[in-house]
Amino acid sequence: MTDVTIDLNGAKVSHAVEPRQTLADFLRELCGLTATHLGCEHGACGACTVLVDAQATRSCLQLAVMCDGRSVQTLEGLRNDPVMDVLKRHFHECHALQCGFCTPGMLITARDILRRLVKPEAQTVRHELSGQICRCTGYAGIVDAIVAAGQELA
Amino acid sequence: MADHAASDGWIGARLLRKEDARHLHGHGMFIADIKMPGLQDIAFVRSQHAHAKVRQVTKPADAAAQVFTLADIGPLHILEAGPELAAHRHSPYPALADGRVRYVGQTIAACMQPTRAAAEDLADRVSVEMEELPVVVDCIAAMRQGSPRVFENWADNAFITSTVNEGKPASLASAPIRLRRQFRMNRQATVSLECRGSLTYWDHRLNELVVYLSTQGGHVKRLGLSQALGLPEHQIRVIAPDVGGGFGGKNRLMPEDIAVAAIAMKVGHPVRWIEDRREHLLASVHCRDHAYDLTISADKDGTLLGVEGDVYIDAGAYALWPTGSFMEASMASRNLTGPYRIKHLKLNTFTVATNKAPMGPYRGVARPGACFAIERMVDEVARELGREPFDLRKQNIVTAAELPSRTAAGMRLDTGDYIASLDMARQMIDMPAIRKRQAAGEADGRAIGLGFAFYTEQSGHGTVEWVKRKSRVVPGYESASGRMLPDGSVIFHVGVQNHGQGHETTLAQIAAHELTIDPSRISIRYGDTATTPFGFGTFASRSIVFAGGAVAKSCRALVEKIQRIGAHLLQTDVANTRVEGGAVHGPSGKISFAEIAYAANVRQEHLPAGMDPLLDATATYEPTETGGVFSYGTHAVVVAVEPDTGVVEILDYVVAEDCGTMINPMIVDGQVQGGIAQGIGTALYEEIPYDEAGQPLATSFADYMMPCAPEIPKVRIGHLVTPALATEYGVKGLGEGGAIAPPAVIANAVADAFRSIGASFNETPLTPRRVSEAVDRARRAKGAAA
Amino acid sequence: MKAAPFEYVRPGTLAEASAALGRDGITTAAIAGGQSLLPMLNLRVAFIDLLVDISRLEELRAVTETPDGLHIGALTTHAAIEDGKVPDLFGGLLRRVAGQISYRAVRNHGTIGGSVALADPAADWPGCLMALGASVRIAGRDGVRSEPVSEFVRDAYTTSLATGEIILGFDLPRPDAPLRWGFAKVARKSGAFASSIAFVVARGKGGPVSVVLTAAASRAHSCSQTAEQLEQGAGSDEALRRAIASDLLTFAQDADSYQQRLHTATILRAIREWRAQ
């Protein structure tokens, strides 16, 4: 077991972990932060996307031990984030979710897109969403929501 | 909630969803999110071989008690699955292997440890001695003489065969146009983003088994679990928390569900199994895998006359409880005439066992294959005749005046205007502009294609239809239990299972309409057998018809009693009252539901003499016509195809659809767009090929192509609204429709792009390789001919 | 789908990392971004005893521009290149290539060094670096050595990296004239492993041309006859097709007719883009 300390959603969290434990399992099983979902565990679906040192990150492709000393933010930690508030409203209004399983990873990714790109167009948003799987919506509402949020925030 | 005035009415309102908030805030509670003291994880030892005898399972000596084989979890009853037909062969499917495995991924043993990682470590240490047996992986080869047998005691590999003989198919032999085509819709998975899972424990206080299950219908699963475990149903409680998609894949009782429950009963602490993605692609419900060998006959004037041939369904190694996959063959053949005035039909269907994962239902069940076959053939006839495929459709599809109309295959198409939907799609896609663009050619060398496909979607079918299908359980009704609380707010418990469809919103809209109160005063609850009335769950595009109707009936019973109490309190006759705005209005005043509910629940001295207290009404509902009501639509698509790479890009995609009255058009559009995305997956991307040894070749998302946002266009949706006559409000189900037509319409568009050289695109998914090879074949044939 | 157990160390220095990777009798692996290794570990298709975390070694991080060219540290992420955080001496080719690797969240952690070290036959960087004439700089127990990327990558998942050696970074020679390039990639869907990638790179007008094809064989290969055609200014598609066919015969003899069409199409598309510059 290896001791790991992570700045998690603004608070220091320490646990002894097996080196093989992914950040996703660290968050879900040890910290009780279950907004981060696991859809594939091999980096292809994006449901587990979180921020590590402010970078969008597959938490299934990150070992907890490798995040020692780093800062991690999950959807739970972005509750008062102004960009996230706007995104959530547009996700709601654009019917950008059905079963809700992909939603946390989509929101984290959407926020990352809007952090990097000003007023992205639909085509750009589609490209940026590559690697985020939603099985329900067919993506149209998600793309609309991110475009609308981008316009509102610009 | 959106700004929506009650005066606008709740039926047809684009009400934003009640479900959204919890998911947007990360408060969704899916099965893997549930914490339980003492919980241990299960990992399964699965077969590496497609067909083998299991000689010996050796448990690690230091952890033997944590490894469970069938002998350790029994005795269990094996449920007979498939239609209730003597001719359907029994394929006993044990929860863990009983000495024989018949597909790669079949469960052999279960390993339990405090974490999933440790359980997988243990599974890796279990050694299984196997003796390989001959393998059959192709459903057509499986029906040849001398094929290896999946079940030794069967005479051949067919679960069941059947024939359809309608009209005078013998007359077709002399038809002027006869085209024979082979079609394949290859095997894929359902791929809910949340995989399956079960968390189960024995509740020592209540002396019952509590089964948290990611399922589309808990009551039917309880029935199956009860029979498999030999435990009375009152001692089993099935709870479905938030369910992250199902699409059919969570609507069968699976071996893991039974094994986990049996282990929980042995060990006395909570155990859980969370399916991972590899397991999902390996051993969850597989789907499609249809092969067709058909001949279509037509007159020289383009009149379609008949279809003859064979339909093969590769059902995999076992039938899944309750109904197996026989419906694939029956629905494929019954939908093969589409909406056309085809009079003669002669089909042989084969539902075949192979050494592949068992097949289950998937959004659209059978109809994507049938639609692909008939719509491709209509285009082929048009090409043969030098006609515009659109015109040939218009010529042969039944008109509004002809409806209701019984198809040759026996489907009663109810209401609508199919021709209007064709015309609407043609206009939306701007066919003349596309034809002009094609004539001009593309600067980048790609070929442009335009395709049309029409589909119907049977929905809301009840007892008669399911009995006809010999269904083991007959989902001919749905239930709703409405309860008005003392403050006048209302809770409905329903038997359907929301897993993305938005029932908490749409059923609340129906209740708001009936009760004349705001939807915010209404809760829709589901997913717990301890609290909900018996129901069958959510599948087969049935929920808005059945559960919507049941909620409406429950509301009306409540309103009837509310009105009587209101009249009594207003000291007038019921006939002098009306219900509006959440109050009973009389000649001299009004009284609110809250006051009436308060009386009914806690101040019963105010009730009319002899009236029972409480406002509590359980209703069941079945439409008046139980053969189903048919949604329908026309899909039209424009594609650009690069012939050498075979890459297909969708440039435009439109739908002109009619699902009757829309309760919430926003949710309807979401279902259409989402269904089409899955259909595009079937058409272009998703496939689980098997090699000759029965090894599946796509067991991760590196090999199984899941369409993402760049692959899925924003579909432009046009609506026609022809209310159904047999349902409440005129609704029709529409959950599956989007997934039916995309393989047909995209293949038609790709074929249109190469119509001048006569290339055929008759196998899905249309991967770049398949597309390029089809073009190459056609070019060579044309070159050889010239 | 959880990885089998392994030990983990995060050495503070290159020497310690090298020593850890070289430990006898056990299987070791270096991890930088982990975006290829972790899926393989999670899927239990790769098994190791010791994981050596090199992701915080400063020596692997340097990005320096010199008169001779550019050094890109092994730990440079695809996203850093995509975002233009690496000086652009190559007319935007690096950014374009980086931006089409897998998905953004993967690019945020995946590194150029890891990509070349893994030597996946469908990876973007080995072919791109070959086309640019880059060398790989490698630290071992006996000091630092350098080798052209074209020689470093031997075969599928096979490089000349010896036990205990670590890639420091890549040296990309400065083009002596403005670089013109074309890049074409075909994959079954966005972000998926490529079925074919072609690079066409030339220094100035009339300068030497490099054509590299990736995903056609077990490693990236130069298409010398095609390059020669381009250097000679040969114009016709027909001549180019013949040259491409000859090139494919030298390293992709097993390519079936579809693969031949596919690779020909990607090379031609890259040439068209190169010509348009």
Side-chain angles (χ1 to χ4, degrees), chain B residues 120-121 124 276 645 769, chain C residues 1 43-44 190 256 258 269:
Chain B
E120 288 185 29
D121 296 345
D124 281 352
D276 69 27
T645 63
R769 172 183 285 277
Chain C
M1 198 186 283
L43 287 158
R44 297 197 183 203
S190 59
D256 62 20
Y258 169 63
R269 195 197 295 169

Side-chain angles (χ1 to χ4, degrees), chain C residues 208-211 223-233 240 243 247:
Chain C
V209 180
S210 177
V211 178
C223 300
S224 52
Q225 295 179 65
T226 310
E228 205 172 301
Q229 286 283 323
L230 296 175
E231 282 166 359
Q232 290 167 5
L240 285 169
D247 281 327

Side-chain angles (χ1 to χ4, degrees), chain A residues 53-110:
Chain A
D53 286 347
Q55 300 282 309
T57 299
R58 308 290 208 218
S59 60
C60 74
L61 297 189
Q62 205 61 216
L63 296 173
V65 286
M66 293 182 74
C67 297
D68 186 34
R70 301 206 187 278
S71 130
V72 174
Q73 279 177 294
T74 67
L75 186 63
E76 290 96 336
L78 294 164
R79 210 151 271 163
N80 299 312
D81 179 76
V83 175
M84 202 54 108
D85 285 349
V86 173
L87 275 166
K88 286 177 181 176
R89 175 156 43 78
H90 285 288
F91 265 57
H92 183 48
E93 289 173 357
C94 295
H95 190 23
L97 59 151
Q98 290 182 20
C99 82
F101 196 79
C102 74
T103 306
M106 283 288 178
L107 284 169
I108 299 272
T109 301

Side-chain angles (χ1 to χ4, degrees), chain B residues 155-172:
Chain B
D156 58 35
N157 279 317
F159 280 100
I160 189 166
T161 61
S162 70
T163 55
V164 177
N165 211 328
E166 301 290 342
K168 291 179 189 147
S171 67
L172 298 170

Side-chain angles (χ1 to χ4, degrees), chain C residues 20-98:
Chain C
L21 284 168
R23 267 172 57 182
D24 286 337
I26 58 169
T27 307
T28 65
I31 188 164
Q35 302 299 288
S36 298
L37 181 58
L38 285 169
M40 294 194 287
L41 291 173
N42 286 355
L43 287 158
R44 297 197 183 203
V45 295
F47 296 89
I48 52 158
D49 299 307
L50 177 67
L51 191 65
V52 181
D53 183 353
I54 59 169
S55 67
R56 300 190 197 189
L57 293 177
E58 281 308 312
E59 297 95 322
L60 276 55
R61 205 164 277 287
V63 175
T64 49
E65 189 180 343
T66 67
D68 291 339
L70 179 66
H71 177 80
I72 303 178
L75 288 177
T76 306
T77 62
H78 313 312
I81 299 172
E82 175 188 13
D83 292 348
K85 290 176 181 159
V86 169
D88 183 6
L89 311 182
F90 312 99
L93 174 60
L94 297 182
R95 288 188 71 170
R96 170 83 175 282
V97 171

